[in-house]
Amino acid sequence: MVLLEDFGLSYLQGDLPKWFYPLWLTVQTVPIFKNSGRCAVRPLGLRTPLLKVFHKEVVSQNLPEVKAFLEPVQLGMSRGGAQKLIFSVRALLNAKQDFVCVKIDCRNAYNEQSRRACIDAFAEEPTLRHLAHFCAVTLAPINGLESGGNLWGEAPEGDTQGDSAASMRFCVALHKSLLLLHQACSAGGCGGMAKAGADDINAIGPPHIVFPAVEAFGREVRERCLLHWERTKTEVFTWQGDLPPGAPDGVSLAGENINGVFEHGFLMYGAPIGSDAYCHHQLMQVAERIISDGKKTAELLSGERHPFGRL
């Protein structure tokens, strides 16, 4: 155990030979489907479990300081962050039905974020400065990308989704941009806000304030963090009508045609926000999937009891 602790500290402090870090930080890439429709693939990076244990220990010991820095605008590291995000967004939209919510999508956010922006963000924050060296040690090496024993590429930027420290590094690196977005959305005491759960970013407020704020956010994160705002995957929610005047080019109106009627709404962490009809429709789809999965499970279990199938 003493040897293991010494090895872990040496690794985290950057005291091991330089050749070791690119080798040990090599990522095994595995594709997984993003959703049940199997229409898009998400690259999953796998590393040795021991490395994840070391990174998890760093995150857990510094979580209070990280949360204090990020909250309440960024909830990606918060306990119950998903629930807090959903209820806060829904509550504001219910209270201010003339507001819009822009659900911002950044392309491959974890994989493309600037490593320099991450290290700089930790170094500039006094309460997190002690973690800047850890970020430099784990992000400075160019990661090899491996599949089936073959090295097929390199990752000079971005983080590894699935790494125990990836969300912490991403949230801290993004936070400067997120605070600027929040300040712009709440300008003049209008009551607007920006609220995020890691890379699930929402800008809420009057259209004439939120739309320019989102445009400025897209430019700022591109220049500082190398993140690309995906306009065609960005949705604008409004309680009624079409896209408000001044909406950014390329964005779509959040909602779905249900029984020939367009119902306004969107999903956040799988939870529906929008009109009663939209929420009812989405929840019924979830219920139907549960019933379908239950039937398939029952059939599989029945097949296990009868190796040759039903008689």
Side-chain angles (χ1 to χ4, degrees), residues 51-178:
L51 182 148
K52 296 178 70 174
V53 170
F54 291 154
H55 289 192
K56 185 177 181 180
E57 192 64 26
V58 172
V59 174
S60 63
Q61 291 189 18
N62 292 277
L63 192 56
E65 291 81 5
V66 172
K67 289 197 298 184
F69 173 65
L70 296 175
E71 292 177 343
V73 177
Q74 172 61 265
L75 299 172
M77 296 298 296
S78 303
R79 183 168 184 169
Q83 294 92 325
K84 293 176 183 177
L85 179 63
I86 293 167
F87 283 112
S88 59
V89 170
R90 176 72 196 233
L92 182 55
L93 290 172
N94 278 342
K96 301 282 189 177
Q97 299 213 357
D98 57 333
F99 280 10
V100 297
C101 176
V102 182
K103 194 169 181 286
I104 301 171
D105 185 276
C106 289
R107 183 186 67 194
N108 298 324
Y110 276 64
N111 300 328
E112 295 189 8
Q113 188 183 55
S114 166
R115 296 184 177 186
R116 178 176 179 175
C118 177
I119 297 169
D120 287 347
F122 278 93
E124 291 168 3
E125 170 54 36
T127 62
L128 302 178
R129 192 168 294 157
H130 59 288
L131 291 171
H133 184 68
F134 161 73
C135 293
V137 167
T138 53
L139 292 178
I142 296 178
N143 297 343
L145 303 176
E146 176 268 335
S147 180
N150 298 313
L151 192 68
W152 62 268
E154 295 179 336
E157 296 289 354
D159 212 324
T160 303
Q161 213 163 357
D163 188 315
S164 305
S167 288
M168 177 187 73
R169 290 189 293 236
F170 178 85
C171 291
V172 171
L174 179 70
H175 202 53
K176 181 178 180 180
S177 305
L178 198 58

Side-chain angles (χ1 to χ4, degrees), residues 173-218:
L174 179 70
H175 202 53
K176 181 178 180 180
S177 305
L178 198 58
L179 288 178
L180 291 174
L181 178 62
H182 177 70
Q183 292 169 5
C185 289
S186 57
C190 68
M193 70 175 186
K195 192 78 74 173
D199 59 342
D200 290 292
I201 305 163
N202 303 272
I204 307 169
H208 69 281
I209 291 179
V210 168
F211 292 154
V214 170
E215 294 274 10
F217 173 81

